[in-house]
Amino acid sequence: MISQQIRKNFLAFFKKNGHALVPSSSVIPHDDPSLLFINAGMNQFKDVFLGKTSRDYHRATSSQKCIRVGGKHNDLENVGHTARHLTFFEMLGNFSFGDYFKKEAIEFAWTVSLEVFGFDPQFIWASVFHEDEEAFELWRSYLPAERIVRMGEKDNFWAMGDTGPCGPCSELYFDKGIKYGKGRSPAEDVHGERFLEFWNLVFMQFNKDVSGQLLPLPKKSVDTGAGLERVVSLIMGVNSVFETDVLRSLITSIEDISKIPYHGEPAFHVIADHIRTLAFAIADGVQPSNLDRGYVLRKVLRRAVRYGRQLNLDRPFLAQLLPTLIHHMGEDFQELKTAAPLVAEVLTREEEAFLRTLKRGGNILNQVIANSTDSKIISGQDAFKLKDTYGLPLEEILLLAKDAHLGVDIACFEDLELQAKERSRGARKVTEQIASTSVYEEFLHKHGKTHFVGHDSLTTEATILGLVKNGQFVEALHCGEEGIVLLNRTSFYAEMGGQVGDQGILSKHTSLFEVIDTQSPYSHITAHIGVVREGELRVSDVMTATVHAERRARIAHHHTATHLLHWALAQVLGPHVKQAGSIVEAERLRFDFHHPKPVTPQEMEAVERLVNEKIRANDPVRIYEISYTEAQNRQDIRQIFGEKYGNTVRVVDLNYSKELCGGTHAVSSGNLGYFRIIKEASVSAGVRRIEAVTGRAAELFVKDQEQMLESVMTMLKVQPSQLVERIEKLLEEQRSLQHKLDKAQHQALHTYAQQLLETLNCEHGVPLLFAQTSLNPAELKQLADLILEKTPSIVLFLISDVEGKCQFLARVSSDLVKKGISAAEMVSTINPILGGKGGGKADFAQGGGTHVEHIGEALKQLRSWILSKRS
């Protein structure tokens, strides 16, 4: 496999040249709300480039999974129709964080292009920002001046956002030859078909502020990205990325499934690309839905299904491509293997649902065409609904409209589509990519970080370094005043990683400060938030910091239980289970995780059993530190996506469960005592939530359940062994009574229908029956059905007045529909009078209103309207 070999050799080259080998991050940008999906190799290092965090290395290399289907980088509609666009691709990259700069970056890129990629140097071109003389001169050591092209800001100046790190960039191109285009240089090759860009070197040397001013960065950095698929297409000498090894293998599988040979058709390209986007996104925890990235993923899947129909694939087929994908990429991306059953299940379920939607959409399209006959045009609203809700592409709508001799309001359709895109953009938070100043920043610079000793001791002597009141530093806090205390050292754990902050007291001889909460408002700073209960506190006072020990222990036990729960869920539900959020408190734990369907009672029982078995085993909870680089390369250690880790990380190790975690934990699993799940529910598409308790809280939960059971037995006057039998007997009695009641009500409705039919009047040849009742909507419909059964020709209108609101229903027999009387028009006529809403079809319509005092007027107006139709 050329792709696998190039990936391996690229990473090996940079590792040999002092770069830390960093695995690809998830495609979900958990800590970056400005993105729907990871779309570049630098995304996982953004905070390092911004100076917000640091790593234990200054050089890095990676092969990053990228998805470009939204926002500024959206290649979705291009895929299938060009030779190079993909929604999923790998970005090979090397990065320097204040280490080397242009000279070394250019030298590395040149060496790799020749020695790793094996490119002929006479076909390589470079572009530079037109003001970047330094880069131009550096490239002259490798290329003749005529193959170094100066380009403007649009092409060769990169910015992270409207503000923040930015700088000139230099791009590498490979000249594929004159048969691909007549442009004589990358600047003249507008469509990029002849001169294929394969590597971009970004030189971050400025920081753009809100006014647009470019300020020099204190540490110049390098971010590079080379598209693996493009590189492999050049190495293989093929015309398109879809001819490269991985994608061509997928196309071969599509040929096998469809029994249709491939001759470059876009449908093959779309499906081969989209299956990678879908598989990697689902494996990383995204579920198709109607919100944010889930909505985008659903669009990708539906696009693949629609193109599959062009290959006569009218049944779910995407899961059949997974074995090929896993064969070629599973070795380097183990998450594909781990999540394979989940991915297959989600794909098949979504395909089945969409195929049903398409069938329903086709029926709705026929209705839209029938309703548009008079106007001779399908409205933009209808066209947009057909595309957005039912997945019918505009091209198909236009074709069917043409067959029916109808036009489509394209202008309105495009306006609605633009609005939808704006809403999608708005769902992503626009964040300022520039480090804001903080009242704590100068404090940290002056005093250094708060030294945390709370893993070893719950009490420590500490000096007050700062006091904050109403957001400002003060010299003292007096009795009764609320504020924040900053110490040089602390035993208090600040809230992070889902674990709530500690509570306790800060004390000295005559002063007492109650710590109500502990937070970290700035990196490495611990803020003790509370109120002065006695005396006063002053800067430089020496205090005794004492954590509420019993509360801390309960929190620690719930935190260890969270790790056990995570492990047990993976054992019972499958290795695809990944944490999506958590809260660890003294009273309970809450754990969110990726799973596509409700956890069954049997599965929850199995999870509880596993956790309690481990509690009884009383395994020691071992805690130790390793480098983050080592942790990233350890398959047996779980990392929680979205958490930010430092150079050194803490491992909580129960042998069978290993997780990176900075929180507090039990000494051994036996400390937890007992574990119970108290609730399981859905949070969002593909995300479930479990609430659970341990120790005394679990005992109280069981006691409450027992007391409730005791109360039920007392009310029913039975022993525990008789309870189920007694409840079953009561339910059977209730069903019998309900059956008798339903029968009596049905008979009463029969009688009522007969009585109403005796009031039927024929006016101007129209049999009319209007009646006001006190029935509920379901009974109203049953009554109408009974009346229609007893008479072949009728205009029926029933209205009920219940608790100040009215419900109404209109029915018109088929013979009178043909004479121009419509139930839908009847309802439309009285809606304004009754302050109502409703609608329906020509033979049946219904609605409701609030102006019950106007019922008489509505009936009078309706009668006049019907008779006017017959005059």
Side-chain angles (χ1 to χ4, degrees):
M1 286 292 295
I2 295 176
S3 294
Q4 190 175 39
Q5 195 60 47
I6 292 299
R7 182 193 303 118
K8 179 181 176 182
N9 292 348
F10 179 93
L11 297 174
F13 172 88
F14 282 105
K15 184 178 181 182
K16 187 176 73 173
N17 283 277
H19 292 66
L21 182 56
V22 181
S24 171
S25 72
S26 161
V27 297
I28 308 173
H30 290 272
D31 53 356
D32 189 347
S34 67
L35 293 174
L36 274 177
F37 291 98
I38 292 295
N39 59 24
M42 60 78 59
N43 290 157
Q44 70 167 312
F45 304 113
K46 185 182 284 189
D47 277 0
V48 182
F49 286 122
L50 287 168
K52 292 182 178 179
T53 60
S54 62
R55 302 280 176 92
D56 56 355
Y57 47 79
H58 300 291
R59 300 179 175 194
T61 185
S62 70
S63 182
Q64 175 64 49
K65 303 175 293 186
C66 296
I67 293 178
R68 290 189 173 177
V69 288
K72 176 182 174 183
H73 301 291
N74 185 359
D75 291 334
L76 181 59
E77 297 303 326
N78 291 323
V79 172
H81 303 288
T82 73
R84 65 185 188 279
H85 284 104
L86 298 166
T87 60
F88 176 90
F89 65 97
E90 285 184 67
M91 186 175 280
L92 304 172
N94 59 290
F95 310 90
S96 164
F97 313 115
D99 186 19
Y100 61 81
F101 199 46
K102 293 180 186 178
K103 181 178 183 298
E104 295 86 347
I106 288 172
E107 182 181 353
F108 283 144
W110 182 256
T111 304
V112 168
S113 295
L114 271 58
E115 297 181 6
V116 176
F117 299 161
F119 291 158
D120 187 330
Q122 67 175 323
F123 296 115
I124 297 176
W125 289 61
S127 67
V128 297
F129 182 52
H130 64 92
E131 297 176 4
D132 192 352
E133 293 297 333
E134 181 185 5
F136 187 90
E137 290 303 320
L138 286 168
W139 273 119
R140 288 192 64 181
S141 301
Y142 308 101
L143 291 168
E146 60 269 20
R147 295 219 308 272
I148 307 170
V149 184
R150 298 179 188 269
M151 292 190 183
E153 184 174 341
K154 180 173 178 283
D155 295 297
N156 278 70
F157 194 92
W158 183 91
M160 189 176 289
D162 293 333
T163 58
C166 59
C169 61
S170 181
E171 296 181 328
L172 286 171
Y173 297 85
F174 189 89
D175 182 2
K176 296 170 67 178
I178 196 168
K179 72 174 183 176
Y180 290 95
K182 296 181 180 179
R184 294 170 296 177
S185 76
E188 296 179 8
D189 186 20
V190 179
H191 300 293
E193 298 294 341
R194 173 177 175 177
F195 294 91
L196 186 65
E197 177 209 337
F198 66 89
W199 206 341
N200 188 14
L201 318 178
V202 177
F203 308 123
M204 295 188 196
Q205 62 187 95
F206 302 113
N207 194 19
K208 186 192 293 185
D209 64 19
V210 291
S211 69
Q213 184 178 1
L214 298 179
L215 305 172
L217 278 173
K219 291 183 178 180
K220 294 180 174 63
S221 298
V222 173
D223 155 32
T224 85
L228 175 61
E229 292 80 4
R230 290 193 183 189
V231 169
V232 172
S233 74
L234 293 171
I235 293 171
M236 294 178 68
V238 294
N239 298 332
S240 160
V241 291
F242 296 101
E243 303 283 339
T244 56
D245 46 8
V246 176
L247 288 164
R248 188 61 183 86
S249 296
L250 287 167
I251 288 172
T252 299
S253 293
I254 298 167
E255 288 181 293
D256 294 340
I257 295 168
S258 67
K259 310 300 182 190
I260 295 176
Y262 168 65
H263 297 295
E265 294 86 350
F268 287 93
H269 299 168
V270 169
I271 296 167
D273 167 76
H274 288 7
I275 186 60
R276 298 207 302 172
T277 295
L278 292 163
F280 277 99
I282 295 169
D284 279 347
V286 186
Q287 291 279 317
S289 70
N290 290 326
L291 293 172
D292 299 335
R293 61 178 62 93
Y295 172 71
V296 174
L297 195 67
R298 180 166 280 168
K299 281 179 65 176
V300 172
L301 184 142
R302 291 182 169 190
R303 189 169 187 261
V305 172
R306 289 200 309 270
Y307 275 92
R309 285 158 68 89
Q310 294 182 15
L311 303 177
N312 299 326
L313 297 171
D314 53 5
R315 293 183 179 180
F317 66 91
L318 290 171
Q320 297 178 56
L321 298 173
L322 289 177
T324 301
L325 179 61
I326 292 169
H327 174 74
H328 290 297
M329 300 190 73
E331 196 62 40
D332 293 310
F333 298 99
Q334 290 288 323
E335 63 271 26
L336 279 181
K337 289 184 176 180
T338 302
L342 171 70
V343 175
E345 179 183 343
V346 172
L347 289 175
T348 302
R349 186 185 68 232
E350 280 288 317
E351 283 183 272
E352 288 172 345
F354 183 50
L355 288 170
R356 289 194 297 270
T357 298
L358 277 177
K359 185 176 180 180
R360 191 166 66 250
N363 295 334
I364 289 173
L365 177 59
N366 291 333
Q367 291 177 19
V368 168
I369 289 172
N371 295 336
S372 304
T373 304
D374 293 338
S375 63
K376 298 296 182 184
I377 191 165
I378 294 176
S379 70
Q381 290 90 342
D382 283 338
F384 179 74
K385 183 178 181 181
L386 286 164
K387 180 178 186 289
D388 193 60
T389 304
Y390 299 104
L392 292 175
L394 180 60
E395 297 78 14
E396 190 171 334
I397 297 168
L398 289 171
L399 186 62
L400 292 170
K402 184 178 179 182
D403 291 342
H405 307 291
L406 299 174
V408 178
D409 187 347
I410 297 294
C412 178
F413 171 87
E414 291 177 343
D415 183 53
L416 291 169
E417 195 164 49
L418 180 62
Q419 290 177 34
K421 287 178 180 177
E422 291 297 329
R423 285 194 298 273
S424 175
R425 255 185 232 113
R428 302 187 304 280
K429 298 178 184 175
V430 179
T431 55
E432 190 176 284
Q433 306 292 351
I434 190 168
S436 59
T437 58
S438 165
V439 293
Y440 299 101
E441 188 173 9
E442 187 176 336
F443 178 88
L444 178 66
H445 182 73
K446 180 179 179 180
H447 297 288
K449 64 183 180 180
T450 308
H451 182 53
F452 178 66
V453 297
H455 285 312
D456 304 312
S457 174
L458 298 183
T459 302
T460 188
E461 297 293 312
T463 302
I464 297 178
L465 300 180
L467 297 168
V468 179
K469 178 183 176 183
N470 297 327
Q472 300 295 322
F473 280 99
V474 295
E475 285 299 312
L477 287 175
H478 304 285
C479 187
E481 290 185 334
E482 297 179 356
I484 295 172
V485 180
L486 306 174
L487 304 172
N488 66 327
R489 58 194 279 119
T490 186
S491 50
F492 284 73
Y493 182 85
E495 179 175 333
M496 76 181 65
Q499 179 176 326
V500 297
D502 278 332
Q503 296 178 354
I505 59 171
L506 307 179
S507 60
K508 63 175 186 176
H509 300 299
T510 59
S511 302
L512 180 70
F513 181 85
E514 181 185 359
V515 180
I516 298 170
D517 192 13
T518 309
Q519 296 285 330
S520 180
Y522 196 79
S523 183
H524 304 304
I525 296 293
T526 299
H528 307 78
I529 304 165
V531 59
V532 181
R533 296 299 185 191
E534 298 175 13
E536 67 176 16
L537 272 61
R538 289 191 171 274
V539 175
S540 298
D541 283 354
V542 176
M543 310 293 292
T544 299
T546 307
V547 173
H548 188 316
E550 193 269 337
R551 180 177 181 272
R552 163 72 84 81
R554 286 188 284 128
I555 293 170
H557 296 165
H558 276 124
H559 204 152
T560 302
T562 303
H563 287 220
L564 286 172
L565 173 61
H566 195 177
W567 167 80
L569 285 167
Q571 299 300 305
V572 174
L573 303 180
H576 64 272
V577 169
K578 293 181 181 179
Q579 181 173 328
S582 70
I583 291 179
V584 179
E585 299 174 327
E587 296 76 23
R588 56 147 196 174
L589 69 88
R590 193 181 81 191
F591 186 74
D592 297 347
F593 58 99
H594 295 287
H595 188 59
K597 55 190 175 184
V599 183
T600 67
Q602 295 78 14
E603 288 168 336
M604 280 195 283
E605 184 181 348
V607 168
E608 282 187 332
R609 184 176 65 252
L610 281 175
V611 173
N612 282 309
E613 283 176 0
K614 293 302 182 184
I615 289 173
R616 289 192 294 274
N618 197 25
D619 297 313
V621 179
R622 297 190 301 120
I623 296 174
Y624 49 86
E625 292 183 341
I626 60 175
S627 72
Y628 183 49
T629 305
E630 180 185 347
Q632 285 183 300
N633 289 288
R634 289 270 299 272
Q635 294 292 326
D636 60 331
I637 297 178
R638 281 187 186 270
Q639 298 179 50
I640 308 304
F641 290 123
E643 292 296 320
K644 296 178 181 178
Y645 300 106
N647 300 336
T648 302
V649 291
R650 191 164 171 267
V651 181
V652 176
D653 187 344
L654 280 149
N655 190 29
Y656 46 85
S657 166
K658 298 179 178 68
E659 289 192 26
L660 298 188
C661 180
T664 62
H665 284 271
V667 175
S668 65
S669 62
N671 296 149
L672 278 58
Y674 183 48
F675 172 87
R676 283 300 299 267
I677 293 173
I678 59 176
K679 186 178 180 182
E680 192 275 344
S682 171
V683 178
S684 60
V687 179
R688 309 298 300 180
R689 171 172 292 169
I690 280 179
E691 293 185 25
V693 287
T694 65
R696 180 62 178 157
E699 292 172 9
L700 290 173
F701 171 74
V702 173
K703 191 66 178 175
D704 287 343
Q705 299 290 306
E706 289 175 349
Q707 288 176 348
M708 189 184 303
L709 192 62
E710 190 70 37
S711 297
V712 173
M713 290 189 295
T714 300
M715 283 188 289
L716 296 178
K717 298 178 182 178
V718 295
Q719 295 300 312
S721 60
Q722 302 168 319
L723 183 59
V724 173
E725 183 182 351
R726 179 67 175 130
I727 291 174
E728 287 177 346
K729 185 176 180 181
L730 286 172
L731 289 172
E732 181 57 40
E733 290 174 0
Q734 189 268 339
R735 283 191 290 268
S736 176
L737 289 171
Q738 186 64 51
H739 177 71
K740 291 177 181 177
L741 179 61
D742 290 343
K743 189 175 180 180
Q745 287 177 334
H746 191 67
Q747 185 58 48
L749 283 175
H750 262 285
T751 303
Y752 189 27
Q754 192 60 49
Q755 290 171 350
L756 289 177
L757 280 169
E758 291 173 3
T759 67
L760 180 67
N761 289 323
C762 190
E763 300 183 33
H764 295 278
V766 179
L768 296 179
L769 176 52
F770 288 6
Q772 184 175 349
T773 77
S774 58
L775 300 175
N776 64 42
E779 292 169 335
L780 212 60
K781 186 176 184 301
Q782 289 178 43
L783 179 60
D785 289 341
L786 290 170
I787 292 172
L788 265 292
E789 286 175 7
K790 295 176 183 293
T791 180
S793 179
I794 193 171
V795 174
L796 174 66
F797 185 81
L798 301 175
I799 187 165
S800 66
D801 173 7
V802 180
E803 297 180 352
K805 293 184 179 179
C806 59
Q807 297 288 330
F808 45 85
L809 175 152
R811 295 284 294 270
V812 180
S813 56
S814 58
D815 61 317
L816 296 173
V817 168
K818 293 175 182 176
K819 293 181 179 180
I821 300 176
S822 165
E825 291 182 33
M826 289 170 63
V827 168
S828 297
T829 300
I830 63 166
N831 272 337
I833 302 171
L834 296 173
K837 293 181 180 178
K841 300 177 182 179
D843 62 340
F844 174 80
Q846 60 186 339
T850 56
H851 298 168
V852 293
E853 69 277 11
H854 295 154
I855 288 178
E857 180 188 345
L859 293 174
K860 183 179 178 181
Q861 180 70 30
L862 187 56
R863 186 181 297 274
S864 299
W865 178 84
I866 293 171
L867 295 178
S868 71
K869 301 289 285 185
R870 301 298 299 150
S871 59

